[in-house]
Each structure stands twice: as structure tokens, then as C-alpha cells.
Amino acid sequence: MNTGTGEKDREGNIHSALIAIVGRANVGKSSLLNALLGEKVSIESPVAQATRRIIRGILNEPRGQLAFLDTPGVHAAQSDLGRFMNRAARTASEGVDITLLVFDVSRPPFPEDVGWMRRLARRGDSAALVFALNKSDLGLAGAEALRRAWEAAASGAQAPTPDWVEVSARTGAGLARLRDQLFARAPVQPPYFPSDILTDHPRRLAIADVVREKLFLRLRDEMPHRVATAVEHLVETPAERRATVVIYVERASQKGIVIGHKGRLLRTVRRAAEAELKSLFGEAMALDLVVRVEPNWTKNYFFLKRIGYLT
Ligand SMILES: Nc1nc2c(ncn2[C@@H]2O[C@H](COP(=O)(O)OP(=O)(O)OP(=O)(O)O)[C@@H](O)[C@H]2O)c(=O)[nH]1
Ligand SMILES: [Mg+2]
């Protein structure tokens, strides 16, 4: 039996859950994960489709362990990369203990939100369901429509009964209640991860993502969806900590946009990324950014595998 104080029982069991964070693109899944952990493990961006692979983040508390999988937001896919991302998100939500479906409660539901509801209502496994109504700091204009959409999706199906929790990843409102709710739903079982790790996101991928996040903040229109980043060279010795990050674009004409007038955009991105890496890793890391053309990279399976977007 679990004592609720974090002590393991004789078999080593604690309150422990594998939780898939799913939902439409841009509703704040990654922001919510970072806010729940109190540490940044996943990039956030005003541009939709920021998360391109599954990121794990682990919350250890005296009362147990919550292991989260942050997934790419589901969207109407325009490319092979988009379709792979959608598939990864759907697959990640299978075989977990809890599905945490995130919505933007400040606006009425999109077709992708309703699509997730239908999928989860009909899934028929034993996973618990928690609905996070995020961006509540911007108002609750979508709350009623979301409840009605769930009633419609669940009617006639053997749907699980979800917990509904209003939260704001931005202000922190409702986060304590969401954590309580998730621990309450967590089965007593052996933990999935050791108690001293925050994420198993490889360092090279984390560095590449930080550069991409800073680029996303400064690129406009469709450009963010045309860039990928990958660490090509990494030195981490006591004397030197330096990474070469390649920024891939699809066409030669896009190179100039990323570099900016007199290299200004790239310089700003480098400085912002270096500052963030220093705060993430606690040590300075020098970055060399290189822009390279990789025609049609979003459709290139081998390329996507090589840079870690596909596993
Ligand atoms: N006002 C407000 N904005 C939020 C909140 N949570 C996230 N955002 C913003 O919403 C945008 C999207 O956040 P992300 O965390 O990247 O969203 P996501 O669901 O992970 O997006 P994808 O990875 O593209 O699917 C960012 O600009 C965030 O700053 C919130 O609670 N309130
Ligand atoms: Mg995300």
C-alpha cells in the first residue's frame, strides 16, 4: 500500500503515471508542461506546430511521479513532416495511464479539438481522461461550447468521465489543482523513471530546439515551417563549450531571410539562444550558426530521421 508520503511500499510502488499531453496545435501544451514542471524542457512558440517530436518531462514529488509526454499539436497537415507529427501525437496517446487533453478555453473549439474528443471518447481503453482548459487568463469564451462538444462526442460511446480543470500556463492559475487531479488519477505502481531526472531529451536535440524557438520568434508568415535545426558539431570540454547548429531551409531564396540584413537576424537569434542555453545548462555555450539549403526537407524521410524529428 502507498502511504501517500512518498515512501515506497514493499514492492517499490508509488503513485506514478505516464501522461500524454495532446491537443490541437498552439493551445499551450508545451507551455503547460514547462509550467507544471517549473522548468523549461519543451520549446514554446506563438507560431503553431512548434513541437516536432515527443518530449518527456518528469515531475517528482514526495507524493509520487508524473511522467509527461509532450506531443506535436494536431493540425491540417500540409507536408510529410506534418503528417508524421500528427501520427506521432496520436500514437503517443496510446498505452498511457492518463491522457491530458489541452484546449484553449478563451475561444470556441476548432475541428481539431472536436476530433481529439471523438477519438478519446471512442478509444475504449482504461486510460483516465483529464481536460485542461488552458489560457483561462484570456477568458472562458469557449467553455460552454467545449462542454457541449464533449457531450456530443461522448454520447452513445463508452466514454470515460473526464476531469475538467481551468488553468493558465502563463499566470500559473489552476496548476496546483491540475497536479492534484493528476496525482489522484495516478495508479500505484513502480515509477517509470529514476527520481532524479527531469527530461531524457538528448542535449543535441535540446540545443537545436532552443535555436529554432528563437528563430520562430523572429520569422514571419510561413517561414517557420520551412526551417529545421540540427547540431552538427558539439564540443564540451572544461576549456571549451561550443556547438555548430545548422539551420536548414528549403530554397536558396530563404537563406537571406534567415540571415537578415547584414546578418542581423542571425546574430540576434544566436545571442538569444546563447542566453537561454546558459540559463538552461548553468554554463555558457558558444554557438556557431550556419544556414544551409536542403531542398524539400519536410518530405525527406531520411533527413527527418537524421535530425531526430522521426524516431
Ligand atoms: N495567454 C496565454 N497564452 C498562453 C498560455 N499558454 C500558452 N500560451 C501561448 O500560446 C502559444 C503556444 O504555446 P505552446 O506551448 O507552444 O503551444 P503548443 O500547444 O505546445 O503548440 P504546438 O507545439 O505547436 O502544438 C505561445 O505563444 C504561448 O506563450 C496561457 O495560459 N495563456
Ligand atoms: Mg508544443
Side-chain angles (χ1 to χ4, degrees):
M1 201 199 74
N2 189 274
T3 59
T5 60
E7 289 164 31
K8 293 179 177 175
D9 67 7
R10 237 177 270 142
E11 288 83 40
N13 296 325
I14 58 168
H15 281 283
S16 154
L18 190 61
I19 303 170
I21 308 179
V22 298
R24 170 168 67 79
N26 212 233
V27 292
K29 297 176 295 300
S30 302
S31 306
L32 193 56
L33 172 61
N34 295 333
L36 283 166
L37 297 176
E39 303 259 1
K40 184 157 172 185
V41 299
S42 196
I43 65 166
E44 305 168 9
S45 164
V47 180
Q49 299 157 50
T51 306
R52 286 185 176 163
R53 67 178 85 88
I54 312 282
I55 309 273
R56 269 176 286 267
I58 295 126
L59 178 68
N60 286 292
E61 285 192 11
R63 57 184 161 167
Q65 179 181 82
L66 303 177
F68 295 96
L69 308 174
D70 182 22
T71 68
V74 164
H75 59 283
Q78 307 285 337
S79 67
D80 284 3
L81 171 65
R83 279 185 284 279
F84 289 136
M85 283 160 57
N86 285 344
R87 198 182 312 147
R90 290 182 183 125
T91 312
S93 69
E94 283 160 19
V96 295
D97 301 301
I98 304 172
T99 307
L100 178 59
L101 178 56
V102 183
F103 300 104
D104 174 352
V105 71
S106 71
R107 50 202 303 183
F110 286 30
E112 290 92 340
D113 297 310
V114 178
W116 267 112
M117 286 180 169
R118 290 210 187 104
R119 162 175 289 270
L120 295 174
R122 281 168 178 64
R123 197 169 53 176
D125 64 9
S126 61
L129 207 51
V130 177
F131 289 171
L133 304 180
N134 191 37
K135 306 199 187 184
S136 60
D137 53 297
L138 300 178
L140 302 172
E144 254 318 296
L146 281 166
R147 280 183 196 272
R148 268 186 272 115
W150 174 248
E151 270 170 36
S155 85
Q158 294 280 338
T161 306
D163 295 326
W164 297 72
V165 190
E166 279 169 21
V167 291
S168 166
R170 178 149 305 168
T171 66
L175 289 179
R177 210 162 79 76
L178 178 57
R179 278 191 214 98
D180 289 348
Q181 212 65 259
L182 294 169
F183 273 112
R185 296 280 203 152
V188 175
Q189 59 184 351
Y192 288 91
F193 293 93
S195 62
D196 57 352
I197 69 168
L198 172 69
T199 178
D200 57 356
H201 196 190
R203 217 163 157 84
R204 281 173 172 261
L205 298 184
I207 295 167
D209 265 4
V210 166
V211 172
R212 194 163 55 83
E213 181 187 72
K214 302 310 169 202
L215 259 173
F216 269 35
L217 282 172
R218 290 161 184 89
L219 291 175
R220 294 153 59 126
D221 305 324
E222 272 299 294
M223 265 309 284
H225 305 302
R226 309 282 163 237
V227 302
T229 51
V231 170
E232 191 166 78
H233 189 64
L234 180 63
V235 185
E236 289 188 274
T237 63
E240 192 183 25
R241 295 169 40 76
R242 177 172 285 274
T244 305
V245 181
V246 182
I247 300 167
Y248 293 96
V249 292
E250 288 183 311
R251 286 195 300 274
S253 60
Q254 294 163 341
K255 241 175 132 166
I257 301 175
V258 169
I259 294 168
H261 183 57
K262 294 187 177 164
R264 207 169 285 153
L265 195 138
L266 210 52
R267 209 158 37 242
T268 327
V269 167
R270 177 169 55 77
R271 289 203 192 110
E274 283 177 344
E276 173 133 346
L277 289 171
K278 186 166 184 195
S279 91
L280 278 180
F281 297 151
E283 286 173 298
M285 158 133 342
L287 294 178
D288 298 308
L289 304 184
V290 181
V291 187
R292 200 173 289 161
V293 180
E294 179 70 39
N296 290 323
W297 68 263
T298 60
K299 298 180 171 60
N300 184 337
Y301 181 84
F302 294 103
F303 176 82
L304 296 174
K305 269 199 100 94
R306 182 158 64 76
I307 65 167
Y309 290 175
L310 279 177
T311 43

